[in-house]
Amino acid sequence: MRGQHILGLEHMSPADIERVLTTAEEMKKMVGRQKNKKLSVLRGKAIVNVFFENSTRTRSSFELAGKYLGADVINIAASTSSVAKGESLRDTLLTVQAMGIDAIVMRHSAEGAAQYATRYVKAVVINAGDGAHEHPTQGLLDLLTIRQHHGEIAGKKVAIIGDILHSRVARSNVWGLLKMGAEVHLGGPKTLIPKEMVDMGVTIHHRVEDAIADADVVNVLRIQLERQKRGLFPTPREYARIFGINDERLKLAKKNVLVMHPGPMNRGLEISPDVAYGRFSAIEEQVNNGVAVRMAVLSLTLADEECA
Ligand code: NCD
């Protein structure tokens, strides 16, 4: 995978997905084993995180991953950069490229922004979320979390519930899960699930109870309040009552169900606090796996030698 851009899971082969997951498991072991977490796999490499949209976990997780691997990592946030002065995306990219960066990790509100970046830079481009399109490292860390709990992904029933329409996490999950042989069910209000998604090979339910019945995994997505247009969404109270994942509804899933949420959560809206912090929740583990998956992606695409 050396030199490969990571733009989405739609075009990533099952073999490459497998390689990332296995490498992430190795990374977890390596970092867990030693007191000094720092490895030298990417010593002498420079990575820049360019974030045009807000982020807590994804940005800090990429930063930590790069640092654990021994790379130099810098961060550019749109709100404090020359973007705020009107600099174009292309000029920002060319500026970064001119500094001799090896990888650009980019988040942007426009679909296709990461793909666009590959036209202007020689560095490896890693998509950290482009609009409602893809968020490949989130998809990969979700796959890793499922594999760790259930042993394998193939044959598992995964329900993805919530605001699918605006969610890049949903798209990356669907592509990744289908490639790894899972059965994918989407649940939520009609207005928040594009019906064309059946063409991807998923089943759509408008009663969340039907989507989560006998599920091995329930992945709850955030209602993206900042992206809602009028008429798509009932009141928050109505949403929680009809579509929210609470203890009662979760009883419909398998006994050892795994509950995931990419964060940030609207507690009490798409997920109740008892489920979010309950015994089936893998939400903190997802964050932990995020660092390992990003270490895997960075090392596989940037390291001069095979590292795991
Ligand atoms: C997601 C994102 O930004 O796409 N969060 C994340 O990366 N952990 C999901 C969201 O914002 O709801």
Side-chain angles (χ1 to χ4, degrees):
M1 294 175 71
R2 196 169 312 152
Q4 201 173 302
H5 301 300
I6 306 293
L7 304 178
L9 297 192
E10 179 179 0
H11 300 294
M12 193 182 276
S13 69
D16 280 350
I17 293 178
E18 188 66 44
R19 197 164 304 145
V20 172
L21 300 185
T22 312
T23 308
E25 277 160 3
E26 286 298 316
M27 291 294 172
K28 259 182 110 155
K29 277 191 221 139
M30 273 201 269
V31 168
R33 242 193 326 254
Q34 47 196 59
K35 275 216 183 78
N36 176 356
K37 297 197 185 67
K38 210 141 180 156
L39 310 172
S40 55
V41 181
L42 293 187
R43 195 164 49 202
K45 303 282 181 197
I47 302 169
V48 60
N49 288 323
V50 188
F51 276 60
F52 294 93
E53 270 190 354
N54 296 350
S55 165
T56 305
R57 338 154 215 247
T58 307
R59 199 201 51 72
S60 50
S61 173
F62 267 112
E63 180 170 356
L64 261 185
K67 287 183 169 164
Y68 284 172
L69 292 165
D72 289 308
V73 185
I74 58 168
N75 295 295
I76 298 178
S79 53
T80 54
S81 72
S82 292
V83 172
K85 300 180 189 163
E87 184 171 68
S88 71
L89 173 57
R90 182 172 154 207
D91 286 345
T92 305
L93 291 167
L94 292 174
T95 305
V96 168
Q97 174 67 44
M99 292 177 190
I101 290 291
D102 297 289
I104 297 183
V105 176
M106 191 169 110
R107 168 169 288 192
H108 198 281
S109 60
E111 285 87 32
Q115 170 86 54
Y116 172 87
T118 63
R119 301 201 334 229
Y120 296 104
V121 298
K122 286 192 221 75
V124 165
V125 176
I126 299 176
N127 182 9
D130 60 330
H133 177 229
E134 281 232 35
H135 188 354
T137 54
Q138 179 72 44
L140 290 164
L141 77 89
D142 289 340
L143 290 174
L144 180 63
T145 310
I146 296 173
R147 185 155 101 170
Q148 262 170 15
H149 272 261
H150 287 313
E152 59 180 338
I153 299 162
K156 295 289 177 276
K157 174 175 175 180
V158 181
I160 305 177
I161 309 294
D163 186 353
I164 315 278
L165 175 68
H166 299 107
S167 177
R168 49 198 174 214
V169 177
R171 273 167 200 77
S172 290
N173 260 269
V174 169
W175 289 122
L177 286 162
L178 292 175
K179 280 181 201 228
M180 302 314 276
E183 199 188 299
V184 183
H185 294 255
L186 307 180
K190 257 201 185 95
T191 48
L192 295 182
I193 308 183
K195 57 180 186 310
E196 308 74 60
M197 283 181 83
V198 279
D199 299 338
M200 294 169 84
V202 300
T203 311
I204 295 179
H205 306 268
H206 297 300
R207 283 186 74 244
V208 279
E209 290 80 359
D210 296 337
I212 61 184
D214 279 323
D216 298 281
V217 178
V218 176
N219 194 354
V220 191
L221 300 180
R222 184 172 69 89
I223 300 300
Q224 304 203 12
L225 295 165
E226 76 280 19
R227 296 191 222 258
Q228 297 297 331
K229 300 200 181 67
R230 276 168 61 125
L232 291 180
F233 181 68
T235 64
R237 227 171 78 216
E238 278 289 285
Y239 184 91
R241 193 172 62 78
I242 305 174
F243 303 103
I245 302 301
N246 52 30
D247 266 340
E248 208 40 48
R249 289 209 167 98
L250 201 59
K251 286 191 188 122
L252 299 166
K254 292 238 174 78
K255 286 212 157 33
N256 61 344
V257 64
L258 187 68
V259 176
M260 305 203 292
H261 190 305
M265 284 186 270
N266 296 304
R267 263 180 302 110
L269 180 57
E270 70 265 3
I271 191 165
S272 70
D274 25 325
V275 171
Y277 303 111
R279 64 192 179 101
F280 301 112
S281 169
I283 296 173
E284 276 177 35
E285 217 171 306
Q286 284 173 276
V287 177
N288 187 268
N289 283 339
V291 179
V293 155
R294 289 168 182 126
M295 287 178 80
V297 166
L298 290 171
S299 62
L300 288 166
T301 54
L302 291 180
D304 295 323
E305 285 154 37
E306 294 282 328
C307 53

